[in-house]
């Protein structure tokens, strides 16, 4: 009887010990990046968010990241590998990771996934994005004031709604202060290719552009602007150290709080597959300091930023016509998010042809 009691006690102690060990297991969180963390742009900012998670939770989490993952079959392989190796929460941070994320999520229903900039969700797949276009409107106001040639050069990655929406927002900002501005656009069909990005910037400057804008992830276009003596804007992170004389501001993606909140939700058991789309108001988009411009332009930029955050400026308020002259948003109305998320058309006044 004593031996039985002792054995039961030993088993109970072992079970308690195992339970304590299991309770102490860290939450495993994976991140998939389309570019290198050293791009000092989009992927760099996501990795800053990952590091913020580690700083906040310490040994309660274990994070892993995979960088420079091409969109397509490689992405599916990497996402599946992260799920197979025990990650509880996986962030896939590029638009082209959308279908691979959905496919892998079906195979791992107990793993939670978060996809950035996409629109497909499932019971275990949430979506999130920043309203980058709000910062692009501010940049457009600055460009409209600062250009002398009235020609803006724009280096685009892919003609997807996120990028097209940004071009439209930028031009609405520019036209709000200078109706004579024109934009020339070069598509490089890559998120991160410093060589192509730099060559595109040089070609645009040769065509008369004296302001450089980009929706690509390396500092190359801004560095070309610096070397050629024109002004420009940083992308996704503050790139001032790469172009101290050229950068007027940067549209900074700030993911720290979002990543911390979502990790906390998993820990608390409150995580839900929802959509989050935040901007200047919520702090997911920041503007880098306004510099290399007159004080009055900086003041106007700050005023514009504040009015967007407060809702006093509605970037896509009607009337809005597309290139073909079709009325897309009536006067007195504002384009709904559904329209913005699927925006695959240029607004009236942009002369460039949109690739299909």
């Amino acid at each position: 009887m004593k031996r039985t009691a002792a054995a039961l006690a030993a088993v109970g102690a072992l079970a308690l010990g195992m339970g304590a060990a299991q309770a102490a297991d860290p939450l495993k969180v994976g991140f998939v990046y389309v570019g290198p963390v050293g791009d000092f742009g989009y992927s760099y900012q996501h990795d800053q968010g990952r590091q913020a998670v580690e700083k906040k939770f310490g040994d309660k989490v274990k994070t892993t990241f995979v960088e420079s993952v091409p969109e397509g079959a490689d992405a599916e392989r990497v996402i599946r590998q992260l799920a197979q190796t025990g990650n509880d929460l996986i962030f896939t941070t590029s638009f082209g990771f959308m279908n691979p994320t959905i496919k892998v999520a079906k195979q791992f229903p107990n793993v939670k996934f978060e996809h950035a900039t996409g629109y497909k969700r499932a019971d275990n797949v949430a979506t999130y994005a920043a309203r980058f276009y709000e910062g692009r409107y501010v940049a457009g106001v600055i460009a409209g004031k600062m250009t002398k040639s009235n020609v803006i050069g724009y280096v685009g990655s892919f003609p997807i709604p996120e990028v097209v929406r940004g071009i439209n927002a930028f031009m609405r900002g520019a036209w709000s202060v200078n109706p004579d501005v024109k934009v020339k656009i070069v598509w490089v069909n890559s998120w991160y290719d410093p060589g192509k990005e730099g060559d595109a910037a040089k070609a645009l400057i040769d065509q008369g552009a004296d302001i450089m804008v980009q929706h690509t992830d390396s500092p190359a276009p801004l560095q070309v602007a610096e070397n050629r003596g024109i002004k420009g804007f940083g992308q996704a992170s503050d790139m001032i150290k790469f172009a101290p004389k050229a950068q007027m501001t940067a549209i900074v993606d700030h993911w720290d709080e979002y990543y911390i909140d979502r990790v906390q939700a998993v820990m608390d058991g409150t995580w839900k597959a929802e959509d989050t789309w935040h901007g200047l108001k919520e702090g997911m988009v920041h503007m880098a300091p306004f510099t290399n411009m007159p004080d009055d332009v900086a003041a106007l930029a700050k005023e514009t930023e504040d009015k967007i955050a407060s809702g006093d400026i509605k970037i896509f308020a009607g009337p809005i016509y597309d290139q073909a002259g079709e009325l897309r948003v009536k006067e007195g109305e504002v384009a709904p998010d559904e329209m913005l998320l699927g925006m695959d058309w240029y607004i009236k006044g942009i002369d460039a042809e949109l690739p299909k």
Side-chain angles (χ1 to χ4, degrees):
M1 188 73 176
K2 288 182 179 179
R3 286 182 180 180
T4 303
L8 288 173
V11 170
L14 180 61
L16 285 171
M18 291 178 62
Q22 290 174 350
D25 286 347
L27 184 77
K28 297 183 70 174
V29 186
F31 294 79
V32 186
Y33 306 141
V34 71
V37 295
D39 68 4
F40 298 103
Y42 183 77
S43 293
Y44 170 83
Q45 285 300 121
H46 280 288
D47 200 59
Q48 292 297 295
R50 179 190 66 82
Q51 293 179 44
V53 167
E54 288 190 337
K55 184 176 180 181
K56 171 69 175 179
F57 295 105
D59 60 6
K60 293 181 180 178
V61 298
K62 180 179 179 182
T63 72
T64 304
F65 70 88
V66 185
E67 59 185 328
S68 301
V69 178
E71 296 174 329
D74 280 351
E76 182 180 328
R77 175 184 57 79
V78 168
I79 297 165
R80 181 178 291 106
Q81 187 174 29
L82 286 172
Q84 288 173 334
T85 53
N87 283 279
D88 306 289
L89 175 63
I90 299 172
F91 293 96
T92 61
T93 64
S94 190
F95 180 81
F97 296 161
M98 178 169 63
N99 289 334
T101 300
I102 293 293
K103 185 174 181 179
V104 175
K106 289 180 181 179
Q107 300 165 356
F108 294 88
N110 295 324
V111 177
K112 296 171 176 59
F113 296 82
E114 300 241 358
H115 177 239
T117 74
Y119 54 84
K120 293 183 179 180
R121 285 180 292 284
D123 290 344
N124 61 331
V125 181
T127 52
Y128 65 104
R131 293 182 184 268
F132 313 116
Y133 68 90
E134 294 181 344
R136 292 187 180 278
Y137 184 96
V138 178
V141 169
I142 296 169
K145 283 290 189 179
M146 294 295 291
T147 181
K148 294 180 175 62
S149 68
N150 284 330
V151 178
I152 309 298
Y154 208 115
V155 181
S157 49
F158 298 96
I160 60 175
E162 173 194 332
V163 182
V164 175
R165 184 170 61 243
I167 294 171
N168 288 339
F170 177 90
M171 291 307 293
R172 283 181 70 81
W175 287 330
S176 73
V177 296
N178 182 350
D180 296 325
V181 168
K182 299 290 185 182
V183 63
K184 294 182 181 293
I185 304 163
V186 173
W187 298 96
V188 297
N189 295 308
S190 175
W191 289 112
Y192 179 80
D193 189 323
K196 284 185 178 181
E197 294 172 60
D199 288 345
K202 292 172 186 175
L204 289 164
I205 294 171
D206 290 342
Q207 294 175 51
D210 66 350
I211 303 288
M212 187 58 55
V213 194
Q214 63 181 94
H215 201 144
T216 53
D217 294 343
S218 88
L222 194 57
Q223 289 174 306
V224 170
E226 176 92 356
N227 293 334
R228 296 285 289 269
I230 69 168
K231 304 297 185 188
F233 303 97
Q235 154 72 10
S237 69
D238 189 347
M239 296 178 171
I240 190 71
K241 66 181 179 181
F242 297 102
K245 296 179 181 178
Q247 180 177 291
M248 294 184 288
T249 187
I251 303 154
V252 180
D253 311 339
H254 187 73
W255 305 109
D256 297 20
E257 284 77 19
Y258 181 78
Y259 285 152
I260 289 170
D261 288 348
R262 298 302 278 170
V263 169
Q264 186 68 63
V266 174
M267 291 179 172
D268 295 342
T270 59
W271 186 94
K272 295 179 181 179
E274 57 194 16
D275 179 56
T276 301
W277 201 15
H278 289 168
L280 290 168
K281 177 182 178 181
E282 299 85 359
M284 194 174 273
V285 177
H286 289 178
M287 301 305 296
F290 300 118
T291 187
N292 292 317
M293 67 184 77
D295 289 345
D296 63 321
V297 178
L300 177 61
K302 179 59 177 169
E303 179 185 345
T304 302
E305 178 187 2
D306 291 344
K307 285 185 175 180
I308 293 172
S310 69
D312 290 340
I313 290 179
K314 306 289 187 184
I315 294 173
F316 288 103
I320 298 176
Y321 294 85
D322 64 18
Q323 278 184 317
E326 179 183 346
L327 180 64
R328 295 283 190 150
V329 183
K330 296 178 181 178
E331 186 168 3
E333 297 183 359
V334 177
D337 282 352
E338 292 77 13
M339 177 182 286
L340 299 184
L341 290 167
M343 188 169 275
D344 58 356
W345 44 272
Y346 284 142
I347 56 175
K348 184 178 180 181
I350 295 178
D351 296 329
E353 183 177 347
L354 183 60
K356 299 297 184 183

